[in-house]
């Protein structure tokens, strides 16, 4: 069986109940989340061996994160323990015209303060076929871009396929900072995934987006040309309101642009929907499905994630396939 | 005052909070539900004497079901106690493109294991005018089709009006099994209610559904013709998504097809909406309202049920009438 | 800094969890609310000194209301304690075609039983620039119209600006009763705010509402003409369903009708949205913003309130400005 | 089967979660309770037909109270609807040295404002053998002492047995007011139940309580002598702390003082424990059990109630018998 | 590292919130539990490789049980999927004199209906050193005694150490049935654990228990004599009330009776405390700790479990050691 | 009116529901707390003007802390905003032999990273009579001892009374580190409060504690002698178990040792009980009550706090007085 390794931060997420604003109520929902952890979690559920590598504090908060990952069948043997704290983020869902609000409290986390030497590179890549990380990880500290670059190189040297999701977070760094780092990583990246508009802006591609579908194609072509990336997948989100979004994905198979079904969906919790796209797209590639299937499954998983509370896409391949095939939310009984 | 008796199973329903997937969280909502129990509950709230007959285990779980029914003014004097267990169903609401999920755990329940001899037929039908059951009941065991048939015959012999909702459940039996049983019951059925598409398929009516409204009329006519049923009411549901449905009802008054107002509604909980249609339609018939009113009230009750958590339609006739008359969800204060 | 004083009743609100009907479940959410208290709360959050004057029982229920107001930076020094009870209202949110339901239990409350002499008029108006109340207050007892009239006169004599929201509540009095009282207050009112349709009906303006925007203009003009009111702001709500509303505001700047952006929004909790309009509109006026900004902020605050659980609009001016500028509910992270 | 009728007020009880103080948290638990309603509820569970008569507002709050009683098999046919409001009480459990806190908000309730003429005396006493009320009821309004007296007389004339629990509430009236009313009712009372210390004080019996058990005997004797009461039962509670109480009961069989087992118990919720004593004692008398059994069952039910959340003692006769026989809280599995 | 395999049933446990009686409230807490699963869970937390073997339905309920076990680092690779349902048990905690109540609904479960052939015996015992099961397992079906016997024999043949906890459940079988099965298993059992009183009764040892500590010694001796068991450990529980228990353990090292510290403890949740004793005692034996330490850790783990909600003892060896060394519940901060 | 200023850190506290272990459940309770903030909160409730000075991040988490303090009538005008984060602590209550567990995550908090220059010393001490802080504050960073020393000196120069609670936290520093700092502060301290055993150890007093009451006297005398402190108050806690503690206080009036009533109490939440002692003792001193009353009120407030969920002692002076006078937790109704 194939095995994917992902690398990044997992945090404790603290959210008020739906409709309450942050810090105005005495009750909270807790869950764990982080882009690369979420990717590993869905890959594991879709039947791909998945390991998540991070650094966690050696306390009850770190133990909880490990239990969370274990429950999801994620291999935690590469997780190192040390440092001061588990990163936290406070998340208030949006509704109507009120956008979701995210207060990061991840500074000084065990992961953000980690060094390349903390990780057992041989161990983490043994038996692995695929390495994945996202643009959040290099943004977390001054050392992280170098750690990411060295890990990606090590992965490539060992013959792994590397995937990278641009995942730009304006609260962590600006487009310019991101671009300079991403451009060092892209030469080693086999599969590059990004939100189309964000990608155009962060990588300064200069594509005219007045026609959205054409822009998708142009962005793909430009990335493949500039960086020699083999596989590029893009996602497009339309925010009708904080509780209603449109979503679709696209990729490029040699000369053909492949678009997924276009969805419009209500929102229970949109956090982690991009990660669900990554996991379903990459799992499909790992399993040898064709790219049309990969982008359909990616988009379906992303849209399904909008209906699920918390960071993790608890989904089976059957559920993803049904949604991709036009499932409409009918009760099965 | 008129009295309706319904017969079927009542189960404990176990649901996660909204947005959580089944068995991923340590909290649950509990309620009781079952098609015929739900029908009795709404009939009682609409001012029709209603009794529910079933078999429940003689333990705390059974006691809870009885308390639930009593609270709703349902006559529980015909309930017999015995057998091993209360049936359970785990229900996860759908959202967006993710369909609701229902895991039945009703095998071996006190009701499914009951025999005709367990019930006091004279007692249950004394002072009753109307007998109702749905297609879920005969699907629950090998003995059940015969129990249903004998009860319906006894009801007819005592001069009761008999209503039957097709209520096909693919997790319990297939269309063919259902048809062979339903066809033994239909000759004794005065009021037959069904989802139009389901009915066309289960009863193999062969109606062309390319024009929905015409199909409704054709299905009605075909049933009346084939089985001699006096009153047929159909429901039509459109599943735009797991949290947005369309709904309307229709019936046939002599030569005239009577359609209800057509609704589109958000969904809090759609379980029991068909039962609400049954209860409001049948109560209207029992009260002597005309069929146009009956189908309007049926559809309005069904649509209102979509806005209520749990299996039971907690509704008053005033609320149903207001919705039928075009109420739009304005606050009254 | 400018200071606004509002006068009215604050009640304990008791609500079931979403989707449950009133009094069918053993859990409730508690919050405090009341139109004028809500206005003070948002004004204080928007940086205007705000005091709320009322009468509360001298028990734990009253203490809770004071703590609630203090938390929101509302000056509570003018609140008097006495009387028997805190008013209560049971509130069930609507959904789909089921309207929200409000059961008032405010009879005999400390506020409703208060007299003019209970209040320290000099104290409450010292350092104040603005006095606000709504049509709910005079509806609460036989004495209240006179208390309101005397307070408004005292406010005018001290040079305060007076604002009044018509806020007609059919459960408290009828249009005719309201009109006779409102007409005594309007001569002293500088800023008059109302729902356009309600206003047309309660004040018997006779404006033709077949064209909604023209009706807004005509209603404004008629009020300014009849009562000499300097500033009139109107709100228009469309109830598509209990969980989807349209909303906009308008006002009149000399000769120009100024309309806000027109919104359509999902609904978490619409209680207090009118109060949010009042607070954001009046705060803008107090801060010297132009009327176009005032009506935009009023409408944006009102629409944002639809997304927030409870009576109080927990909002910052930045959030209101973003919504007014077309914010679409995108996550910021 | 014998039938008991009880008469009094039922209120909505609003409580914070354990450990939270009143009005400091946004969540509450709701239940219904009232001394005489609680007595009827336990009698019904113990197999005695039980009806509760009261006056409730004709709104959703009143409907909820009726559903609550129905669920418990209490006959609600004698309940009249009318008046303004359902009484409310806010209840905060005590813990350690912090006493429980009870904020009544029952003024102006439908029951407190009711008149003798509101009740159908013939209907309420038809088929009844026993009438019960407690000292809370006459304390609720100026009219209530007279209503109680007339009902008790009517009961006696119809041959019913009358029981009365002194149930003195210092927040409702003082000992002197209570005594003057109780002394008018005692001549018609067959079974009188009271807390020993309270009874000694309220009825001014002047018994020396330095020896508790002797005081019980003296109080019983004095009441039987003064008022000619046939059966007197007393309860004794020791408050070690807000979460640990001692409890026992005693009664008098001709010449013999009969004491129950003496209990010491932790406390989940002590509200309604006196009512549980009444119900179990009276049910035992109605069923013809001997007085030793009656006082044992009364005390056991009261102590068991301390372990149950809410006002109602959800208990079976088996559970009461086991506790009376020395059950020690071992798990049965 | 050593590895323990346990075999038995895991069920979904459904409990009301503390103080509520079963089936009287609409909220529940869900967790998974079962004696042998709980033993594996604590062994894994104490650093012993632990696998749990059972049969689970191939549905969402079964998936949830697997996730639960994975989270706890329990090896689930030997779990087979099939059959109809996950066993359920409804559990109401006791309080004061009210005993806990347990309603089993485990009939027809996937495990109870399993056959010897369902299990991969070679797989489950590969790399294992220790096999554990309890007296609940053979009680679950007619086939189970034989399945247990064959597995124990297979384990012995492969050189594993076998431990067995008597764990008599009167709701599953009587002492006589249990004895006849246990006596077939004891010859293969290396470590036998039991509640002293239960053991004396079920195995009909006839030891005089008037002196408890002497009885412990006599019971141990008798078992070692009769069945040749190498290691016997006994537990003694005193039920002061449903929320206060005493507890200690004892074992026998050659000629010396070794008693643990004697505890008295309040109770959050006593389910699984015997399993915690088993896990901590057996883990200690597996790790080569002396028997005095083993019995101290067993007793400390059991007592600590009383303080933890749910079936599983979430505990570290440090916490157990601290409690064994006289830890008194002081806050560490 | 007198005014007290306190200085320290306020954190977000995140706790699982009772009985759950940290990070094993998806629900949490949130509150704010910190020793000096808790002292200010109770002083304000007891009628002493109270201001709390700290540094909070300028985000929603900081806003929540401000709202929390405002609600409690604490003057927040001296709070400065800046820095990265609000400190967090995860708190799991203990039960039985399982101790409470506290995971601090306060490194890098806005307060811990603050400098002397961040605070407006003139502003914070204007109109103030009393300055209070505890030994937690200087332990929070390398700079803090100096900040504390300079503030205390400034306070003394302005004629304020200074109180200091030793409040040693072993997770923050060791006894030796604490002593060296405390000894710089004690010369400026008028009122020194400490746990007797902790004080003896941290300040290395060398008092023989074999007789507890004599040790109290000796510790007091030694402190007064060594440091010239005018008023010393000591607390003594006995930890019978994690849910049962003993507690009393003592102080010294000239030549007389004054002991409070000795309490034994169950525990809902013991966090903040020392702070409650401080607040009630200091408030009494500020109000001019005699020292016997001060120590009685201090001890009663501390014991009452054990019965209240969260960090804050929501208490009135009446409640404290009642407990001090021997109140036993009887319901008042």
């Amino acid at each position: 069986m194939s095995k994917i390794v992902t690398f990044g931060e997992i945090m404790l997420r603290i959210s008020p109940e739906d409709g309450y604003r942050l810090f105005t109520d005495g009750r909270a929902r807790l869950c764990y989340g982080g882009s690369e952890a979420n990717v590993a979690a869905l890959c594991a559920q879709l039947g791909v061996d998945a390991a998540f590598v991070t650094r966690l504090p050696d306390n009850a908060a770190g133990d909880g994160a490990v239990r969370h990952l274990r429950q999801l069948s994620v291999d935690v043997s590469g997780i190192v323990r040390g440092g001061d704290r588990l990163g936290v983020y406070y998340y208030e869902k949006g509704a109507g015209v009120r956008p979701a609000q995210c207060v990061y409290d991840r500074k000084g986390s065990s992961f953000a303060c980690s060094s390349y030497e903390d990780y057992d590179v041989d161990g983490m890549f043994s038996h692995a076929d695929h390495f994945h990380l996202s643009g959040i990880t290099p943004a977390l500290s001054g050392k992280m871009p170098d750690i990411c670059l060295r890990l990606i190189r090590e992965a490539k040297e060992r013959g792994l396929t590397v995937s990278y999701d641009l995942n730009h977070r304006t609260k962590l760094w600006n487009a310019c900072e991101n671009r300079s780092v991403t451009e060092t990583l892209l030469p080693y990246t086999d599969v590059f995934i990004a939100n189309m508009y964000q990608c155009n802006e962060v990588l300064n591609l200069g594509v005219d987006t007045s026609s959205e579908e054409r822009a998708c194609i142009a962005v793909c072509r430009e990335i493949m040309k500039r960086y020699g990336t083999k596989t590029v997948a893009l996602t497009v989100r339309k925010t009708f309101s904080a509780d209603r979004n449109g979503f679709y994905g696209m990729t490029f198979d040699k000369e053909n642009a492949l678009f997924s079904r276009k969805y419009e969906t209500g929102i229970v919790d949109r956090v982690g929907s991009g990660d669900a796209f990554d996991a379903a797209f990459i799992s499909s590639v790992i399993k040898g499905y064709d790219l049309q299937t990969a982008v359909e499954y990616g988009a379906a998983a992303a849209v399904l994630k909008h209906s699920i509370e918390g960071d993790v896409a608890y989904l089976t391949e059957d559920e993803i396939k049904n949604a991709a095939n036009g499932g409409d939310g009918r009760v099965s009984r």
Side-chain angles (χ1 to χ4, degrees), chain A:
Chain A
M1 198 156 72
S2 295
K3 180 173 169 191
I4 185 170
V5 177
T6 74
F7 175 72
E9 179 161 28
I10 186 166
M11 293 177 284
L12 179 68
R13 163 175 150 183
I14 303 171
S15 295
E17 293 187 13
D18 292 1
Y20 288 87
R21 303 230 56 187
L22 277 178
F23 305 106
T24 64
D25 186 47
R27 299 295 183 286
R29 292 168 172 173
L30 302 184
C31 66
Y32 289 94
S35 177
E36 295 84 357
N38 299 344
V39 170
L42 182 53
C43 286
Q45 289 174 84
L46 297 179
V48 174
D49 273 354
F52 175 62
V53 176
T54 192
R55 185 161 172 260
L56 288 173
D58 195 12
N59 63 15
D63 294 346
V66 170
R67 266 196 303 269
H68 165 80
L69 292 160
R70 275 202 177 110
Q71 166 220 51
L72 292 155
S73 307
V74 174
D75 177 347
V76 296
S77 60
I79 293 179
V80 295
R81 306 295 288 266
D84 289 333
R85 60 182 298 259
L86 182 74
V88 166
Y89 80 105
Y90 302 100
Y91 184 73
E92 170 191 294
K93 293 184 196 170
V97 300
R98 177 171 56 77
Q101 194 186 354
C102 184
V103 177
Y104 283 129
D105 177 18
R106 62 202 303 179
K107 252 200 179 169
S109 75
S110 294
F111 182 73
C113 297
S114 69
S115 305
Y116 183 76
E117 289 67 31
D118 288 320
Y119 302 100
D120 168 15
V121 180
D122 283 331
M124 76 188 262
F125 289 137
S126 87
H127 304 293
D129 307 288
H130 198 107
F131 181 50
H132 173 81
L133 77 176
S134 93
I136 292 172
T137 303
L140 293 178
S141 77
K143 281 184 181 172
M144 270 297 156
D146 180 59
I147 298 175
C148 292
L149 181 58
R150 291 170 72 179
L151 287 175
I152 281 184
R153 277 186 185 148
E154 291 283 345
K156 290 305 297 176
E157 278 174 24
R158 283 163 170 83
L160 281 73
T161 303
V162 170
S163 57
Y164 188 82
D165 182 320
L166 182 66
N167 235 349
H168 183 61
R169 291 285 181 269
T170 54
K171 291 197 171 171
L172 299 176
W173 56 1
N174 62 34
C176 184
E177 294 166 319
N178 188 340
R179 182 164 60 253
S180 71
V181 169
T182 300
E183 294 194 330
T184 68
L185 305 177
L186 271 172
Y188 305 93
T189 298
D190 304 288
V191 181
F192 178 73
I193 306 175
N195 174 290
M196 185 270 282
Y197 290 103
Q198 207 178 57
C199 176
N200 191 30
E201 187 195 335
V202 170
L203 297 181
N204 206 13
L205 302 178
V207 166
D208 168 15
T209 57
S210 58
S211 157
E212 198 174 77
E213 297 204 4
R214 278 195 209 154
C216 285
I217 296 171
V219 163
C220 266
R221 286 217 163 107
E222 184 65 19
I223 292 166
M224 292 188 286
K225 199 179 78 185
R226 272 205 206 170
Y227 307 105
T229 319
K230 269 202 317 263
T231 307
V232 178
L234 299 177
T235 59
V236 180
R237 176 187 298 277
K238 274 201 204 335
T239 304
F240 302 120
S241 70
D243 35 28
R244 192 134 203 101
N245 277 194
F247 192 95
Y248 64 90
M250 76 82 68
T251 188
F252 220 80
D253 190 6
K254 292 181 196 119
E255 284 312 288
N256 303 310
L258 307 172
F259 285 86
S260 78
R261 182 182 163 199
K262 288 188 177 61
Y263 297 87
E264 187 182 326
T265 185
I267 302 181
V268 169
D269 190 340
R270 48 159 285 181
V271 176
S273 51
D275 308 327
F277 181 91
D278 292 357
F281 184 85
I282 296 167
S283 295
S284 298
V285 169
I286 288 176
K287 292 175 178 177
Y289 298 171
D290 61 59
L291 282 171
Q292 180 69 47
T293 302
V295 74
E296 290 292 5
Y297 283 16
V303 172
L304 280 164
K305 173 59 195 67
H306 287 78
S307 74
I308 299 172
E309 178 74 26
D311 262 64
V312 172
Y314 285 94
L315 289 170
T316 65
E317 186 164 321
D318 273 356
E319 291 177 316
I320 293 168
K321 192 191 298 182
N322 287 343
N325 290 341
D328 56 4
R330 214 173 278 259
V331 190
S332 158
R333 59 184 178 181

